[in-house]
Amino acid sequence: MNPVLTKRSGLWQQVIARPQGALALGLLGFLYLCALFAPLLAPYGPGDQDLQKPYHPPTGFTWTQDGLAVRLYENADPTQALYRPIPGKTATIHWFPAGHPYRLFGLLPCRRHLFGVEPPQKIYLLGSDSTGRDVFSRLLYGAQVSLSIGLIGISISLGVGLIAGGLAGYFGGWFDSLVMRTTELLMAIPGLYLLLALRGAFASQFGSGEVYLLIVVILSFLGWSGAARVIRGLTLSLRAQTFVEAAIVTGLSPWRILWRHLLPNLASYLLVAAALSIPGYILGEAALSFLGIGIQEPSASWGLMLAQAQEMKVFMCNFWWLLSPGAAVFVTVAAFNLLGDTLRDVIDPHFRTSDR
């Protein structure tokens, strides 16, 4: 059996054996599954509006002779979006009803959703926004954007950082100086201002797909320099080891040495760095979208949804459900940080901050 695979599987077993590691993996697994199956779980599309039901509160549930049902509401005061249940009026929940068409995993055409009610009635698990869009559905679709940006961005950043830092540490000389001066230049520029300048330099008329790719590129461009410096230092240390010198003497190519001897020894650092860095990408996208220069309507992302929550009416009328994207961001960032801390403690017990 491959000793690297054995060590890696043992690492995850140790992480799961710790309560905080199991909690973090469980939360992240649940969030990414929800994002993966968002079209199936969401009863409506992210842009489906109902202007007759702005700021609708989360619907209450009741049990009728037909099964589980939701209460129906009337807008008693449109100026304050004051909804009151209609006595005796309910809508039965149907399981796997036909709804708006979508492509599951982006490939399989489908019309079935996990639950729903008979139109024109609607079910709002987390209420609606100012245009009557279902917050729960937009939260699920927004997870696809916010969560995937972190994974894709850190993959590009660590990939570029691994190549640049690994080669700089292995070859040294002028290439090492060039890479390090480049990273120092990038790290000397304030990240937020560079992020805003790069995004603002492009046309605001970009579609959601183009904006998504642009944000990934910008965040990756900002994030690879720190990883490259650390990997370069680790590579310098590993290059002085006997097993690397023996590989050089046997005539192995630099790429083969980097792939077979240095990368397995850097894998532990890469895992910890990825877990601790992904929250930065999620928060970066949320900040851009919150400021109106990230993901654009009618698409959904957690930062874009939070932009609606800054309206004074939301706080004056206590539309608390519009803050649910902020709770999703908080839980995701906390889970990644908890996972990163657990991985660090397992890999290097000398860095433990407390007895666990």
Side-chain angles (χ1 to χ4, degrees), residues 199 204 206-208 211 288-289 292-300 304:
R199 174 62 185 95
S204 59
F206 277 2
S208 297
V211 171
L288 283 177
S289 299
I293 55 176
I295 302 299
Q296 302 294 318
E297 298 283 3
S299 299
L304 181 60

Side-chain angles (χ1 to χ4, degrees), residues 208-229:
S208 297
E210 290 83 357
V211 171
Y212 177 88
L213 292 176
L214 184 61
I215 292 176
V216 169
V217 170
I218 292 175
L219 294 177
S220 302
F221 174 75
L222 293 174
W224 72 270
S225 56
R229 290 181 64 87

Side-chain angles (χ1 to χ4, degrees), residues 132-208:
R133 294 176 298 187
D134 180 34
V135 172
F136 176 74
S137 298
R138 289 178 58 80
L139 193 68
L140 291 174
Y141 279 98
Q144 293 184 321
V145 174
S146 299
L147 295 181
S148 61
I149 275 182
L151 290 182
I152 298 174
I154 196 62
S155 299
I156 297 175
S157 294
L158 288 184
V160 175
L162 177 63
I163 295 174
L167 293 177
Y170 183 83
F171 289 110
W174 66 269
F175 185 78
D176 183 20
S177 298
L178 176 63
V179 172
M180 290 301 100
R181 301 298 81 77
T182 302
T183 59
E184 290 168 1
L185 176 63
L186 288 176
M187 296 179 72
I189 302 174
L192 178 61
Y193 298 110
L194 178 60
L195 190 65
L196 296 176
L198 289 175
R199 174 62 185 95
F202 296 91
S204 59
Q205 290 80 16
F206 277 2
S208 297

Side-chain angles (χ1 to χ4, degrees), residues 20-33 331-332 334-336 338:
Q20 64 271 28
L23 175 62
L25 285 177
L27 286 174
L28 292 175
F30 173 75
L31 289 171
Y32 277 95
L33 281 176
V331 171
T332 304
F336 270 115
L338 189 60

